[in-house]
Amino acid sequence: MLVYVICYGAAMLFAFSAHFTLSGMSLMFAALYLYLWEYGKSGNPLHLRGLFSLFYVGGEGISCLKLSNLQKDWSLETWACFFVAFAAFWNVYALAEKKFGYGKEKKTVAGFSQKFTEKAAERYGTRIFIALTGLTILSLTAFLFEAFRLGYVPFLLRGVPHAYSYFHISGVHYVTVSCVLVPSMEVLLWFYDREMGKAKKAVSLIMAGIALLIPVLCVSRFQLIFAVILAVLTFMIVSGHRKIRYLFMAAAGLVPLYVILTIARSHDVTYLNGIFEMKNAATPIFITQPYMYIANNYDNFDCLVRELPAHSMGLKGMFPLWALSGLKFIKPALVDWPIYVNKEELTTVTLFYDAYYDFGIAGVFLFSSVLGAAAAWLSARTYPGRNPAWYLFYSQGALYFMLSFFTTWYSNPTTWFYFVVTGAFGIFLEIKYNRRRRQL
């Protein structure tokens, strides 16, 4: 933590004196150091606090480079919020880890393969297959219903850059996008049911293929990336083969599909460069696009700090409740909160945007503290021998921390819908097992 404080202070001083490259490098060094420190201590490259350190602080460092004309100097309150967000998470995680037990979290390093037993396969294997098949069928049915009602499939529609945004029927679309969990369930199936026959393997692979096809047809680059990376994380966690190269290999494999879906969205290079407003107009698009998808989110947070007239006192962050309960249709004012960004096309924000919107810097501190405690609790409860749903919960948590620079995950109703589906998956496994045990 001392290294972070020193690097953060240096980054601020460099930023105030317009030495933006040095400012960004200071924070990127801190992010890498803290991640490697956690990795060395735990032996787990997917340690939740380590991932948050690497991606949130690293993203902040990338933003400090100020490579776009859209990016302005941050206010002191913005700097204070970013510092509090990380410091609260780091320290609360450390305290919670002592309470929940570090020993159990260490077991996750050993991986599934060393602890695998035939009893676990018998207990969960068949039920995982039933769950992933059922979820795929539900998701495909919801997609076909949306395509029929809306009259089009985004992938087949040309010349309409935002057609994918309108491919959405309230309530139904949550079921459609739940397909992103299926590839991870497929990974679990192959570890828990190693004796399954050829027919079962073929059906499960077809289900996983359908689950990956749906985001492509929706022209949803994010959902496709989410599904693939989540499956890779699940594999790394459950197998014990925790090599970072798996993530790079998955990312490389996604590049062609990403390009195809970008073309299908009718987004050309001229259009994107016009939005991003890079200081160096010659910057290649394959650098510009990922840079802005990371960096500008922190600047959007600064816009919020500067422009927000009054805090929402918790109503903004409760959006999942208003959405999933249907209250947003009964009382639209509950969700009528303007978004403050530096350009209307660039609407992604950091993990703490809604926390500040609700209660200011106090909201950032509280939310980050809750996240730290929750991460420590989840780490202590994910280890070999437990319900496979815990691996899926952990991989989702890991992915959300890896993308902590991107959006307000925990005030997004889709996130909570995924958690509900994962919880139902875990309950289904236990109920079926307990029922069978009573019959015996």
Side-chain angles (χ1 to χ4, degrees), residues 169-221:
I169 296 178
S170 295
V172 177
H173 200 66
Y174 293 125
V175 181
T176 298
V177 298
S178 63
C179 62
V180 300
L181 300 177
V182 172
S184 294
M185 292 181 179
E186 177 76 8
V187 170
L188 293 173
L189 175 66
W190 282 71
F191 279 96
Y192 279 90
D193 196 355
R194 298 186 177 185
E195 303 300 324
M196 60 178 165
K198 291 182 180 180
K200 193 173 183 180
K201 288 179 181 179
V203 172
S204 71
L205 288 173
I206 290 171
M207 293 297 106
I210 292 172
L212 291 173
L213 180 62
I214 290 173
V216 173
L217 294 175
C218 291
V219 199
S220 177
R221 297 172 301 188

Side-chain angles (χ1 to χ4, degrees), residues 195-390:
E195 303 300 324
M196 60 178 165
K198 291 182 180 180
K200 193 173 183 180
K201 288 179 181 179
V203 172
S204 71
L205 288 173
I206 290 171
M207 293 297 106
I210 292 172
L212 291 173
L213 180 62
I214 290 173
V216 173
L217 294 175
C218 291
V219 199
S220 177
R221 297 172 301 188
F222 171 73
Q223 297 296 345
L224 178 64
I225 292 171
F226 188 99
V228 173
I229 299 300
L230 189 68
V232 173
L233 291 173
T234 303
F235 169 80
M236 293 171 67
I237 295 165
V238 75
S239 69
H241 301 304
R242 302 187 176 193
K243 306 296 183 183
I244 297 299
R245 68 171 179 266
Y246 293 128
L247 290 174
F248 287 108
M249 290 167 61
L254 285 168
V255 169
L257 279 173
Y258 185 90
V259 173
I260 292 171
L261 292 183
T262 298
I263 294 171
R265 284 186 175 202
S266 301
H267 289 179
D268 57 24
V269 173
T270 303
Y271 171 81
L272 293 173
N273 281 335
I275 291 175
F276 297 145
E277 298 186 30
M278 300 297 284
K279 292 178 180 178
N280 181 358
T283 305
I285 191 64
F286 63 84
I287 294 177
T288 297
Q289 191 165 16
Y291 172 79
M292 288 302 289
Y293 278 4
I294 296 172
N296 198 67
N297 305 331
Y298 296 85
D299 294 276
N300 282 341
F301 185 95
D302 184 60
C303 284
L304 175 71
V305 171
R306 293 177 182 275
E307 299 176 16
L308 185 66
H311 297 294
S312 60
M313 307 309 292
L315 294 178
K316 181 75 164 61
M318 292 294 287
F319 179 73
L321 176 61
W322 316 141
L324 295 174
S325 66
L327 287 174
K328 70 174 184 178
F329 300 109
I330 299 173
K331 192 173 182 180
L334 289 172
V335 296
D336 187 19
W337 301 101
I339 186 170
Y340 298 92
V341 295
N342 57 17
K343 195 160 189 174
E344 62 178 351
E345 294 91 348
L346 302 175
T347 57
T348 52
V349 293
T350 74
L351 185 64
F352 298 97
Y353 189 92
D354 283 354
Y356 183 88
Y357 208 125
D358 281 340
F359 300 109
I361 194 170
V364 172
F365 172 80
L366 178 62
F367 180 60
S368 186
S369 299
V370 171
L371 277 183
W377 177 82
L378 179 59
S379 296
R381 280 157 178 75
T382 307
Y383 54 87
R386 301 209 74 190
N387 188 306
W390 285 103

Side-chain angles (χ1 to χ4, degrees), residues 50 66 91-92 112 129 157 246 294 318 335 358 401 416 439:
K66 306 295 185 189
N91 290 292
V92 170
F112 177 84
F129 175 78
L157 199 63
Y246 293 128
I294 296 172
M318 292 294 287
V335 296
D358 281 340
F401 285 132
W416 291 100
Q439 290 174 349

